[in-house]
Amino acid sequence: MKQRILIVGSGFAGMWAAVSAARLAHLHQRDDINIQVLAPQPELRVRPRFYENNVASLVSPLAPLFASTGVEFIAGNAESIDDKEKKVLYRDEQGQLTSLSYDRLVLATGSNAKRFNVVGADQFAFDIDQLESAKVFEKHLQNLPLQPDSPQRNTLVVCGGGFTGIELATELPSRLKALFGEDTQTKVIVVERGSMIGGRYSQALREVIAQASQELGIEWRLNAEVSSIDETGVTLSDGSHIASSTVVWTVGVQANPLTEQLDAKRDNQGRLYVDENLQVVGLSGVYATGDVANAATDTLGNTALMTCQHAIQLGKFAGNNVVASLIDIAQLPYRQENYVTCLDLGSWGAVFTEGWDQQVKFVREEAKKIKVSITNELIYPPKAERDSAFAAADPLAPFV
């Protein structure tokens, strides 16, 4: 009887886990291992680019890649995990509740935006967290010119000044000019609860973000918290109101709630603590990867972030190690000591930093070229050709 590896999720971590697992099984000529991926669709949604225009195009099919590497895809939505019985319950395409058994489980279900219980956020705020919601936001933008010209129509509010909020806010001025024309006075406002622009980043990176914001005409409301959102705009905790027809929520992410199904320790973002091999601490045969894993990247105290940069490598190591555990060979401890930040800053350009201390190396057009190379090439799936895909899935192959 074949041994079964079940990978739940087909995002960056899940996709690479599947190909990496298939690679190691192939290298050891283990035809007795069946690698399955359970996800709603056989596609990689390029989430880091959802702040861009034409979001429907930011999807890469995975069926050819899985077919070329011997990975079985199962369409469905996972609903519960029974790690005692080693089963996952899921809804298939017909809505029927079905179960899958496994010998090893890899949880790679990603993350979702948090709303923090702000009054009106669910009803009146847009987000670009998932493909469906990003499409809704894009359609709303396209329909804005149909509304009467007014300060409310022409003002866009981005709630949250983190990575996603900055990339979206700096992208919006050029998109609004394309929609309304060069002569329309538009305003993009970032509402940030912190005391400084880009407060999570190094001083050098903060200065670049502030410069780009100033030149693009982006207004920051610092030390500000959103109290409520309605059809007229945003009310802040100090009682002030920003009139806007377009409010976008980009504040924080949380690991997929499936992590709560497991009797294991989680951090404040819901991520499961894993050991150096990415096995969930205290659970034999269960691995976590990508945004659902709290994993040390090195011996210096750094932890993987909820980014595709880390998800890709986490996936490669998880896939390798889950097969290694089945065939009883040494696993590869996850390590990702190199860290870069490449932040898109719209028509101003971009900024590229190296190291956890975020030393700025390139700005404006030089950094923009790197950003485009990363988001348009590096993070996409490999070609649907077995040998080249397996070479790319090697956890020890060079990466950012």
Side-chain angles (χ1 to χ4, degrees):
M1 179 180 292
K2 285 194 173 186
Q3 299 182 87
R4 296 181 179 180
I5 294 172
L6 177 59
I7 300 166
V8 184
S10 65
F12 291 103
M15 181 270 291
W16 280 110
V19 180
S20 180
R23 167 188 172 273
L24 193 62
H26 172 73
L27 287 177
H28 289 268
Q29 300 179 341
R30 295 300 296 261
D31 295 331
D32 59 335
I33 296 176
N34 188 27
I35 300 163
Q36 299 175 315
V37 172
L38 172 66
Q41 307 90 11
E43 61 188 26
L44 177 70
R45 298 179 168 192
V46 190
R47 189 181 182 193
R49 296 182 61 188
F50 284 177
Y51 66 92
E52 297 181 21
N53 200 14
N54 195 20
V55 70
S57 68
L58 303 178
V59 174
S60 186
L62 294 177
L65 174 65
F66 288 157
S68 68
T69 54
V71 173
E72 178 186 356
F73 178 80
I74 300 170
N77 287 281
E79 291 197 357
S80 65
I81 301 170
D82 186 340
D83 62 286
K84 303 294 190 300
E85 296 294 325
K86 294 190 174 183
K87 288 184 179 180
V88 171
L89 289 176
Y90 73 98
R91 295 276 176 188
D92 64 19
E93 292 179 296
Q94 288 71 45
Q96 298 297 312
L97 195 60
T98 310
S99 69
L100 285 169
S101 61
Y102 62 83
D103 294 288
R104 295 289 187 275
L105 176 68
V106 180
L107 194 61
T109 45
S111 59
N112 304 94
K114 295 190 290 188
R115 290 299 178 111
F116 293 102
N117 298 318
V118 170
V119 175
D122 287 334
Q123 185 176 359
F124 297 106
F126 297 92
D127 70 70
I128 56 171
D129 183 56
Q130 303 296 325
L131 182 64
E132 291 78 10
S133 59
K135 285 181 178 179
V136 171
F137 172 64
E138 182 173 277
K139 185 176 181 180
H140 169 79
L141 285 185
Q142 292 169 346
N143 289 334
L144 279 178
L146 303 177
Q147 298 181 19
D149 188 354
S150 69
Q152 180 174 321
R153 183 201 71 167
N154 299 341
T155 300
L156 279 73
V157 179
V158 177
C159 300
F163 204 99
T164 300
I166 293 168
E167 292 201 315
L168 175 62
T170 53
E171 177 79 4
L172 284 173
S174 61
R175 291 177 71 172
L176 295 177
K177 286 180 181 179
L179 287 168
F180 296 141
E182 295 284 340
D183 297 331
T184 302
Q185 293 297 311
T186 61
K187 184 182 291 186
V188 176
I189 300 174
V190 180
V191 176
E192 166 58 36
R193 66 189 304 177
S195 61
M196 62 182 69
I197 295 173
R200 303 164 182 82
Y201 308 124
S202 69
Q203 181 177 345
L205 180 50
R206 291 198 304 268
E207 290 173 354
V208 175
I209 297 168
Q211 180 184 357
S213 297
Q214 182 179 18
E215 293 185 24
L216 291 169
I218 295 167
E219 178 183 338
W220 283 73
R221 299 282 183 93
L222 300 173
N223 296 310
E225 292 195 33
V226 177
S227 175
S228 64
I229 303 170
D230 59 26
E231 66 275 7
T232 67
V234 175
T235 300
L236 303 181
S237 57
D238 64 2
S240 61
H241 184 264
I242 305 172
S244 174
S245 299
T246 310
V247 179
V248 192
W249 191 264
T250 69
V251 184
V253 291
Q254 192 79 6
N256 184 285
L258 272 178
T259 61
E260 300 169 12
Q261 302 265 336
L262 298 172
D263 184 15
K265 186 180 178 183
R266 299 180 299 278
D267 65 14
N268 59 6
Q269 290 183 293
R271 299 185 299 175
L272 295 158
Y273 284 93
V274 295
D275 64 18
E276 65 178 6
N277 298 322
L278 305 183
Q279 180 170 287
V280 176
V281 174
L283 292 181
S284 177
V286 179
Y287 290 70
T289 188
D291 286 0
V292 297
N294 182 305
T297 62
D298 51 38
T299 59
L300 303 176
N302 295 308
T303 301
L305 304 178
M306 297 165 98
T307 66
C308 69
Q309 175 182 174
H310 287 113
I312 289 170
Q313 286 298 91
L314 282 165
K316 293 177 183 180
F317 277 89
N320 180 91
N321 289 346
V322 76
V323 171
S325 72
L326 273 179
I327 64 177
D328 197 27
I329 64 172
Q331 300 182 49
L332 292 175
Y334 166 67
R335 285 291 179 266
Q336 192 169 354
E337 296 181 358
N338 294 333
Y339 173 63
V340 303
T341 302
C342 198
L343 188 65
D344 197 346
L345 296 172
S347 59
W348 187 89
V351 55
F352 179 85
T353 75
E354 292 181 351
W356 287 96
D357 56 349
Q358 295 178 323
Q359 301 176 40
V360 173
K361 298 296 182 180
F362 303 100
V363 297
R364 294 190 183 271
E365 288 308 310
E366 283 186 289
K368 191 79 163 187
K369 291 177 182 178
I370 298 172
K371 180 69 174 182
V372 170
S373 176
I374 291 172
T375 59
N376 288 259
E377 300 173 21
L378 183 64
I379 66 175
Y380 273 74
K383 292 181 179 179
E385 192 279 319
R386 190 188 67 183
D387 291 343
S388 61
F390 284 169
D394 182 351
L396 302 181
F399 188 64
V400 173

